[in-house]
Amino acid sequence: MSEILSHYIGGRRVDFDGGAHAEVIDPATGAVARRVPLGGAREVEAAVAAAAQAFPAWAATPPLQRARVMFRFRDLLERHADRLAHCISGEHGKVVSDARGEVARGIEVVEFACGIAHLLKGEHSVEVGRGVDSWSEYAPLGVVAGVTPFNFPAMVPLWMLPVALACGNSFVLKPSERDPSASLLLAEWLHEAGLPDGVCNVVHGAKPAVDALLAHPQVQALSFVGSTPVAVDLYARGSALGKRVQALGGAKNHLVVLPDADLDDVAAALLGAGYGSAGERCMAISVAVCVGDAVADALVAKLAPRVAALTLGAGADAADMGPLISAAHRERVRGYIDSGVAEGATLVVDGRDAQAPTPAQAEGFFLGGSLFDHVRPDMRIYREEIFGPVLCVVRVADADAALHLIDAHDYGNGAAVFTRDGGAARAFARRVQAGMVGINVPIPVPMAFHSFGGWKRSLFGPLHVHGPDGVRFCTRLKTITARWPAAARDAEFAMPTMR
């Protein structure tokens, strides 16, 4: 009998009778690893009630004391980083070295939240009028919810939780039902770090749980990372209900290769950026835009043998890529490769028939790396997010054509340029229509003290995740104007102005 997970509500693991369950599959073997409850309105109601009850006392806790909880949480994450990485690898499928990197990037956001006492400092103006002072404060929202995807089961929750909690909010997290165990570890370590009962809660589930969170009148804000169609829906519905919504959607990230670029450097960068985590990253580079046929020919010649040589494995195996998250997703990615061939792209490396690394993993969801050349903008493999180990090479005549190509795409998450020309790099960074830009950096994910988010159909809502925007999203600005008159004054009926 496989292990059955629980929800985490009010500072403890909680089970509800009569609910449905889903299987959590080990992607490396195809075997059932454990079962997860699929919560709905009943479970969300219990979690929101616990969060609402805990909120007033937590909001009244001085920011410095909230920061101390974050410091202790950071220490626990560092102490248990290897355990968390193996948990991620066992349910998501990414190799442990990649999972360790995910944990490290999540810890960086916790470290940012440790400075919350400074980040919540408002502004103060003396004598805005005679004897009148004015200042601003940042007030917590109340109960905040987060809905996170399967591809980063620890890092994306850590984009949301530390900042929201440090700002004085309580939280309900709905992680992906495909790899839910990491979220329970995070909640338990927050509790161990001194977070009061009910301030952080975890409800497992699928769409009914998300709908219940969005509709609940006590949920003030919702952060989401996932596909664009769901992001559009949640942003529209949540905004109509008067909630703050921060919804990050899909991506199609381009890397432009100018003629003066070091192609060995470019090939190495594309290998990791395109195929790391089996391409299941919203910041994966899925399109290489080569300026000129000579650049494209030379780059493809360098890439092809290295893509063909990518090794597959799982867990602690010394491998380049793990399996995809599910059999259904593997077939979806295979379908994109079939589509690319049918539409006339040149399949230079075909990863569809890659073999499992061991007989014990024969039922795992492995797929090798694929490389397409001569991809056109009208092709499905260019227009849509594949979310798998597939890299497309598009050829353009010049740098302006490369920019026009990127700017015409629906997504505007990230873009990169490789060049030795500082002027060309500066022009690209200023002109490109994308939220995150890399110059000789293939995956330009900002550090935690900056904010993460794209443009166009990659982000819905005005504020990005973590960093300064994360603090703004998790707080309301309050401005206070005060006068302490020395003597009684006559009534004033005109607009108050400086005199």
Side-chain angles (χ1 to χ4, degrees):
M1 184 69 177
S2 56
E3 175 191 7
I4 300 177
L5 300 177
S6 302
H7 307 283
Y8 190 88
I9 298 173
R12 62 189 179 90
R13 296 203 181 206
V14 177
D15 298 313
F16 290 82
D17 294 331
H21 289 76
E23 294 176 338
V24 179
I25 306 296
D26 178 352
T29 64
V32 177
R34 52 195 58 86
R35 299 171 67 215
V36 61
L38 296 178
R42 174 182 59 169
E43 291 80 3
V44 166
E45 180 61 41
V48 173
Q53 183 177 3
F55 167 69
W58 179 243
T61 301
L64 185 59
Q65 292 185 21
R66 299 199 297 257
R68 288 170 180 162
V69 173
M70 292 299 112
F71 274 111
R72 292 192 291 269
F73 181 47
R74 187 274 312 269
D75 292 344
L76 287 167
L77 285 171
E78 290 182 336
R79 190 185 315 161
H80 298 301
D82 200 57
R83 178 185 174 189
L84 184 56
H86 279 85
C87 172
I88 293 166
S89 180
E91 290 187 348
H92 173 274
K94 65 179 67 175
V95 294
V96 171
S97 59
D98 192 21
R100 289 192 182 104
E102 171 182 346
V103 174
R105 294 309 302 263
I107 289 174
E108 291 168 2
V109 183
V110 182
E111 291 171 336
F112 170 76
C114 288
I116 198 64
H118 170 73
L119 297 167
L120 290 180
K121 288 192 304 185
E123 299 171 330
H124 192 106
S125 296
V126 178
E127 295 286 322
V128 297
R130 294 194 182 278
V132 180
D133 302 329
S134 188
W135 66 92
S136 60
E137 299 176 356
Y138 293 96
L141 302 176
V143 180
V144 175
V147 178
T148 57
F150 74 82
N151 59 323
F152 287 104
M155 187 183 75
V156 174
L158 289 172
W159 281 357
M160 303 174 185
L161 278 168
V163 177
L165 297 175
C167 286
N169 301 286
S170 55
F171 205 92
V172 180
L173 173 65
K174 204 300 289 182
S176 171
E177 65 276 19
R178 295 177 178 178
D179 44 12
S181 295
S183 61
L184 293 174
L185 293 176
L186 298 179
E188 289 177 339
W189 292 336
L190 278 164
H191 185 266
E192 186 178 342
L195 193 72
D197 293 350
V199 177
C200 178
N201 308 273
V202 178
V203 173
H204 302 294
K207 188 176 185 298
V210 178
D211 289 343
L213 280 170
L214 195 66
H216 201 290
Q218 287 182 287
V219 173
Q220 301 298 307
L222 184 137
S223 293
F224 169 81
V225 177
S227 70
T228 288
V230 179
V232 170
D233 175 62
L234 294 183
Y235 182 70
R237 287 196 286 145
S239 299
L241 292 169
K243 300 181 189 296
R244 291 190 178 192
V245 182
Q246 176 186 64
L248 281 71
K252 197 74 176 180
N253 305 307
H254 300 71
L255 187 152
V256 175
V257 187
L258 296 184
D260 67 335
D262 182 330
L263 293 188
D264 289 321
D265 189 25
V266 173
L270 282 170
L271 208 67
Y275 301 98
S277 199
E280 292 176 322
R281 293 172 174 163
C282 66
M283 287 299 291
I285 293 294
S286 52
V287 181
V289 184
C290 294
V291 177
D293 287 334
V295 172
D297 290 341
L299 180 62
V300 170
K302 289 179 180 293
L303 278 173
R306 299 182 70 175
V307 174
L310 289 170
T311 58
L312 302 179
D317 294 341
D320 299 314
M321 295 193 306
L324 296 179
I325 187 65
S326 68
H329 186 57
R330 180 181 59 182
E331 292 312 305
R332 178 177 178 271
V333 175
R334 278 180 174 164
Y336 274 109
I337 300 170
D338 295 342
S339 171
V341 172
E343 290 185 308
T346 303
L347 184 57
V348 180
V349 180
D350 187 350
R352 288 174 292 184
D353 297 323
Q355 299 299 306
T358 69
Q361 297 168 334
E363 300 302 316
F365 312 133
F366 293 94
L367 190 69
S370 292
L371 174 64
F372 277 104
D373 193 5
H374 300 285
V375 175
R376 302 188 311 272
D378 62 302
M379 292 179 176
R380 185 168 167 246
I381 56 171
Y382 175 77
R383 298 193 318 271
E384 299 179 15
E385 183 177 34
I386 298 174
F387 222 60
V390 181
L391 177 65
C392 298
V393 175
V394 177
R395 299 169 180 237
V396 296
D398 53 40
D400 280 343
L403 274 168
H404 290 314
L405 180 79
I406 298 170
D407 295 350
H409 203 283
D410 284 346
Y411 295 129
N413 207 45
V417 63
F418 272 59
T419 179
R420 293 184 175 94
D421 186 331
R426 186 173 187 271
F428 178 87
R430 292 181 67 85
R431 291 175 56 191
V432 70
Q433 299 296 300
M436 294 168 283
V437 181
I439 298 172
N440 299 318
V441 173
I443 303 181
V445 176
M447 295 296 290
F449 39 84
H450 290 279
S451 298
F452 178 105
W455 288 9
K456 298 186 284 189
R457 291 181 64 79
S458 291
L459 173 69
F460 300 87
L463 295 173
H464 293 196
V465 181
H466 64 63
D469 266 16
V471 175
R472 295 185 190 101
F473 180 77
C474 293
T475 57
R476 289 189 179 98
L477 182 67
K478 178 183 290 187
T479 303
I480 301 166
T481 303
R483 179 177 64 192
W484 298 98
R489 300 171 63 97
D490 293 334
E492 296 181 1
F493 298 95
M495 175 71 71
T497 59
M498 171 70 87
R499 293 196 296 271

